[in-house]
Amino acid sequence: MSLASICSGNFHQIRNNVWNNFCVTLIRRCDVRLLTTRAEGRKQELPSITLEGHDGTDGSLARLNSNQLGLHESKSNMCYNLQKEISGNTATRLPVTILVFDIETTGFSHQSERIIEFALRDLTGGRNSIFQTLINPEKDVLNAYIHGIKNYMVNKPDVPRFKDLVPILLHYVRSRQTEGNPVLWVAHNGRRFDVPFIVKEFQRCSAQIPADWLFVDTLPIARQLLNSDGSKLGSVSLKSLKEHYDIPLEGPEHRAMQDVTTLCYVLQRITFDLKLTVAELVGRAFQASELIKVSP
């Protein structure tokens, strides 16, 4: 079964809906936790018990034990609808949960720099399939010229540190995971950049990355793509792939959620062009422990 064959037909919904969804902010504010939401340009602060969407519907919040940490994961854009009927009336569900993710950081070294923004999209689609937050790196941000994330944005009292985020992220992923099946995390240049940063942040928190989390890097996969004349692509950066596939997305580059949305489109096109199955993607995956062994 190819990933693209299941997903085609749903990507047009991204362009129409992506900016109409909530952007998630996770809040840590002493004894009172508030949730900041943005909907169609309006900002409001709400208690972390319930959340009313801009369309009048109630969103659900995942709360963690006595910490009372609020989490609202955005309503789905349905990037992929992996439960779509693809033959007759038979619904097909993949044996893995596929999460496309991206991070922004204070620099390039995972040893000394920190994550300042994290975003993911669950390609299963459905409600609460988006997770997004700024992160307090507990150090100065000196590269705002790259991503536009400035010190004042991450040093607000309502922005979590990574150690605050870890239990929330683990809880969220478990809520999306199908029992007994792994989670497949997909990132562009993930093996050299995103995943080492995630690994290092978990280590700083003395936290374990679950063994059933697998990671796929789309960068080496994209190197197999050819132009119409049979030549290799001049560049396989995410920006170049967006241009290669003429993906009609506008917005700031090097912001986590924007790059996640772009990669959703790119992944669908790559898997179609290279006729990759989900099983083949899983076969290309690696575990975080592989990077830990070779980490300096």
Side-chain angles (χ1 to χ4, degrees), residues 1-8 11 80 98 123 184 186 216 218 221-222 225 245 263-281 284:
M1 180 195 311
S2 72
L3 187 63
S5 67
I6 300 175
C7 306
S8 59
F11 276 76
Y80 283 72
I98 303 178
L123 300 192
L184 191 64
V186 181
V216 170
T218 52
I221 297 175
L225 295 170
Y245 285 122
L263 185 53
C264 284
Y265 277 100
V266 168
L267 179 62
Q268 190 258 352
R269 300 296 296 273
I270 287 177
T271 56
F272 178 83
D273 287 351
L274 298 179
K275 298 179 174 58
L276 291 175
T277 65
V278 174
E280 288 170 332
L281 279 181
R284 294 168 181 261

Side-chain angles (χ1 to χ4, degrees), residues 180-294:
N181 291 323
V183 177
L184 191 64
W185 294 80
V186 181
H188 200 66
N189 198 27
R191 190 178 191 106
R192 295 187 62 184
F193 187 77
D194 303 77
V195 181
F197 266 95
I198 296 293
V199 168
K200 190 61 180 180
E201 293 285 12
F202 268 75
Q203 288 178 334
R204 290 189 182 103
C205 303
S206 299
Q208 294 285 333
I209 292 180
D212 58 1
W213 285 15
L214 306 176
F215 298 89
V216 170
D217 186 349
T218 52
L219 184 63
I221 297 175
R223 291 197 178 107
Q224 301 176 46
L225 295 170
L226 300 175
N227 290 306
S228 57
D229 62 1
S231 62
K232 291 187 177 182
L233 301 186
S235 171
V236 289
S237 68
L238 192 58
K239 179 181 179 181
S240 296
L241 292 172
K242 175 184 172 182
E243 294 171 354
H244 173 72
Y245 285 122
D246 195 23
I247 296 172
L249 286 178
E250 297 180 358
E253 296 178 4
H254 300 299
R255 288 303 300 267
M257 196 69 244
Q258 177 72 3
D259 287 349
V260 165
T261 302
T262 300
L263 185 53
C264 284
Y265 277 100
V266 168
L267 179 62
Q268 190 258 352
R269 300 296 296 273
I270 287 177
T271 56
F272 178 83
D273 287 351
L274 298 179
K275 298 179 174 58
L276 291 175
T277 65
V278 174
E280 288 170 332
L281 279 181
V282 173
R284 294 168 181 261
F286 59 93
Q287 292 182 301
S289 58
E290 298 176 35
L291 300 185
I292 295 173
K293 291 176 183 177
V294 299

Side-chain angles (χ1 to χ4, degrees), residues 14-15 50 74 82 86 94 102 174 191 221 250-251 256 285:
I14 301 176
R15 183 172 67 250
T50 60
S74 167
L82 299 185
I86 60 173
L94 294 182
D102 188 71
R174 282 195 298 268
R191 190 178 191 106
I221 297 175
E250 297 180 358

Side-chain angles (χ1 to χ4, degrees), residues 101-115:
F101 78 103
D102 188 71
I103 61 173
E104 300 301 332
T105 68
T106 59
F108 293 109
S109 171
H110 63 274
Q111 294 292 342
S112 58
E113 304 298 342
R114 304 295 299 272
I115 296 175

